[in-house]
């Protein structure tokens, strides 16, 4: 190999500073054309797909942002003590494999994250880039989920290192679901969180804390919302812990900012869904996630039922505010 010569140390340092980028681009395992962004991958490599399937791929984030499948052994009957020990051992190994797969997926998402960020013009937020057409809904939620999961990794890695195969029990019984990255959440944990959220939402509706919602339809500043409405929105969207309800102290100082961020996030997602063709192109899991973010129930409902309610939400947004929809049941939403 011919040896390169540099005129001075400064030239050498500048050349060396660019070497990692060249090595990354030339790495045999990395194809920049495939990982620039999920939506780019669709338009370049899957042009022959039907239009409906292309729309679905643009609306739905990559599967790597969701938990991998969890396969657990089944416990038979009339097993000996040795066979039961083998069953519990295999169960523990299945959980370890599941968590390892989730962490590897998050690591790969982290590598792609920088490439997606580079597509956002300087001075624009992800929400502004989505509205400008620079990012798709798939890109936007890929950014959101990957960034939030990266913040959870340090504490979760500590829990996984200490408890190993017993991590699912610790997470469920100690209520540590919030510190687990999305790619590492087991089905029981996801279902349990949804059940608690819906039970809390039903109790808030049943207690009649939102009788003044008719007076808030034209209020744009969330800081001017009546306290009962503010608390109901916080409970329905899961913006504060149920521990505050148990101790009898309401975080009214924190809620306005969190509600404002949630409203902005839902508003831009409504825009992306409508622009992308509607809720009918979302996958079943994405429908459940989108409905949960809007304070809608999903347990015991089919994909068509959830999609229908979400479609009603997007249509009703043309007539009223997000706060108004959160404070009403779907049967009371205005019709287009």
């Amino acid at each position: 190999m011919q040896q390169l010569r540099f005129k001075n140390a400064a030239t050498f340092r500048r050349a060396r500073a660019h070497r990692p980028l060249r090595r990354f681009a030339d790495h045999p395992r990395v194809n920049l054309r495939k990982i620039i962004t999920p939506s780019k991958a669709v338009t370049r490599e899957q042009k022959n797909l039907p239009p409906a399937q292309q729309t679905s791929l643009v609306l739905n984030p990559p599967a790597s942002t969701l938990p991998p499948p969890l396969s657990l052994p089944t416990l038979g009957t009339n097993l000996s003590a040795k066979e039961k020990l083998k069953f519990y051992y295999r169960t523990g190994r299945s959980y370890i494999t599941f968590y390892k797969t989730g962490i590897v997926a998050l690591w790969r998402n982290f590598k792609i994250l920088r490439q997606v960020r580079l597509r956002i013009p300087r001075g624009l937020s992800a929400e502004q880039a989505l509205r400008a057409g620079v990012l798709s809904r798939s890109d936007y939620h890929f950014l959101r989920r990957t960034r939030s999961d990266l913040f959870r990794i340090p504490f979760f890695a500590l829990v996984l290192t200490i408890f190993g195969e017993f991590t699912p029990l610790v997470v469920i019984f100690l209520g540590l679901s919030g510190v687990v990255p999305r790619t590492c959440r087991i089905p029981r944990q996801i279902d349990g969180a949804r059940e608690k959220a819906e039970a809390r939402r039903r109790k808030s509706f049943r207690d009649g804390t939102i009788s003044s919602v008719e007076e808030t339809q034209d209020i744009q500043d969330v800081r001017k919302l009546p306290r009962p409405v503010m608390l109901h929105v916080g409970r329905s969207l899961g913006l504060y812990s149920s521990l505050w309800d148990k101790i009898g102290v309401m975080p009214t100082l924190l809620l306005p900012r969190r509600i404002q961020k949630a409203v902005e996030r839902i508003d831009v997602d409504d825009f992306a869904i409508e622009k992308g063709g509607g809720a009918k192109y979302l996958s079943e899991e994405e429908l459940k996630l989108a409905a949960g973010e809007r304070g809608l129930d999903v347990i015991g409902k089919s994909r068509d039922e959830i999609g229908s309610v979400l479609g009603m939400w997007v249509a009703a947004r043309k007539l009223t505010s997000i706060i108004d929809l959160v404070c009403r049941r779907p049967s009371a939403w205005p019709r287009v």
Side-chain angles (χ1 to χ4, degrees):
M1 181 181 295
Q2 184 178 2
Q3 187 173 359
L4 298 178
R5 296 183 179 180
F6 302 93
K7 295 181 180 180
N8 49 50
T11 305
F12 174 75
R13 286 194 298 268
R14 286 196 297 270
R16 189 174 183 178
H18 290 286
R19 284 176 58 193
L21 183 59
R22 290 203 300 271
R23 286 203 304 269
F24 176 78
D26 297 334
H27 198 283
R29 292 186 178 181
V30 178
N31 190 336
L32 292 180
R33 293 184 177 181
K34 291 183 179 181
I35 70 172
I36 288 177
T37 175
S39 64
K40 287 292 182 182
V42 170
T43 57
R44 291 181 181 180
E45 298 186 355
Q46 303 180 14
K47 292 181 179 179
N48 296 328
L49 291 176
Q53 196 168 351
Q54 290 185 17
T55 304
S56 174
L57 291 169
V58 172
L59 281 177
N60 296 296
S64 60
T65 61
L66 300 174
L70 175 60
S71 178
L72 296 175
T74 56
L75 180 62
T77 57
N78 300 325
L79 298 179
S80 63
K82 184 178 180 180
E83 290 173 332
K84 288 184 178 179
L85 287 176
K86 288 183 179 180
F87 165 77
Y88 291 122
Y89 174 77
R90 289 195 299 266
T91 301
R93 297 307 302 172
S94 297
Y95 280 117
I96 291 296
T97 302
F98 171 81
Y99 286 133
K100 180 181 177 181
T101 305
I103 292 175
V104 169
L106 180 55
W107 173 248
R108 291 174 180 171
N109 291 343
F110 170 69
K111 290 182 179 179
I112 303 174
L113 181 64
R114 180 175 178 272
Q115 301 300 323
V116 180
R117 283 175 174 172
L118 291 177
R119 297 187 56 230
I120 303 177
R122 182 174 298 180
L124 291 184
S125 64
E127 290 76 13
Q128 292 171 331
L130 175 59
R131 291 187 180 276
V134 178
L135 297 181
S136 67
R137 183 181 186 273
S138 174
D139 301 327
Y140 174 69
H141 282 281
F142 176 84
L143 286 171
R144 276 191 57 212
R145 294 175 187 177
T146 303
R147 286 188 295 196
S148 63
D149 283 348
L150 289 174
F151 284 110
R152 297 184 176 102
I153 274 292
F155 186 78
F156 176 71
L158 178 63
V159 173
L160 185 61
T161 302
I162 295 175
F163 297 101
E165 293 88 344
F166 299 99
T167 299
L169 299 177
V170 175
V171 168
I172 292 174
F173 290 108
L174 295 185
L176 300 179
S177 298
V179 304
V180 180
R182 188 185 298 271
T183 58
C184 297
R185 296 178 183 177
I186 62 176
R188 182 178 175 184
Q189 177 185 351
I190 296 174
D191 294 339
R194 285 174 177 163
E195 290 174 359
K196 291 180 180 178
E198 293 189 10
R200 188 184 185 194
R201 193 178 303 129
R202 285 194 299 269
K203 184 177 183 303
S204 185
F205 273 108
R206 188 169 57 248
D207 292 343
T209 59
I210 54 171
S211 58
S212 58
V213 66
E214 289 80 3
E215 304 173 2
T216 65
Q217 296 182 20
D218 298 328
I219 297 180
Q220 301 297 329
D221 189 353
V222 297
R223 293 173 296 182
K224 298 180 180 179
L225 290 174
R227 186 172 180 271
V229 174
M230 191 179 298
L231 294 177
H232 173 77
V233 173
R235 295 188 187 104
S236 295
L237 302 183
L239 301 181
Y240 70 95
S241 173
S242 59
L243 181 63
W244 292 96
D245 293 328
K246 296 178 181 178
I247 63 179
V249 179
M250 298 295 106
T252 51
L253 296 178
L254 302 175
L255 273 180
R257 180 176 176 80
R258 293 184 180 181
I259 292 176
Q260 185 63 42
K261 286 186 175 182
V263 167
E264 294 173 357
R265 184 173 62 249
I266 294 173
D267 183 57
V268 74
D269 196 41
D270 290 342
F271 167 81
I273 292 175
E274 186 175 18
K275 181 181 178 181
K280 60 183 178 181
Y281 293 115
L282 293 176
S283 65
E284 183 174 358
E285 185 59 29
E286 288 299 327
L287 280 173
K288 292 180 179 180
L289 292 173
E293 287 186 347
R294 291 160 175 77
L296 306 177
D297 297 342
V298 299
I299 295 178
K301 296 186 177 181
S302 66
R303 183 189 187 281
D304 293 337
E305 290 175 327
I306 301 173
S308 175
V309 173
L310 190 58
M312 290 169 53
W313 169 287
V314 175
R317 281 284 289 109
K318 300 176 182 179
L319 303 176
T320 188
S321 65
I322 292 175
I323 299 295
D324 186 32
L325 295 180
V326 173
C327 293
R328 298 175 186 270
R329 287 299 192 182
S331 58
W333 290 349
R335 298 291 191 269
V336 177

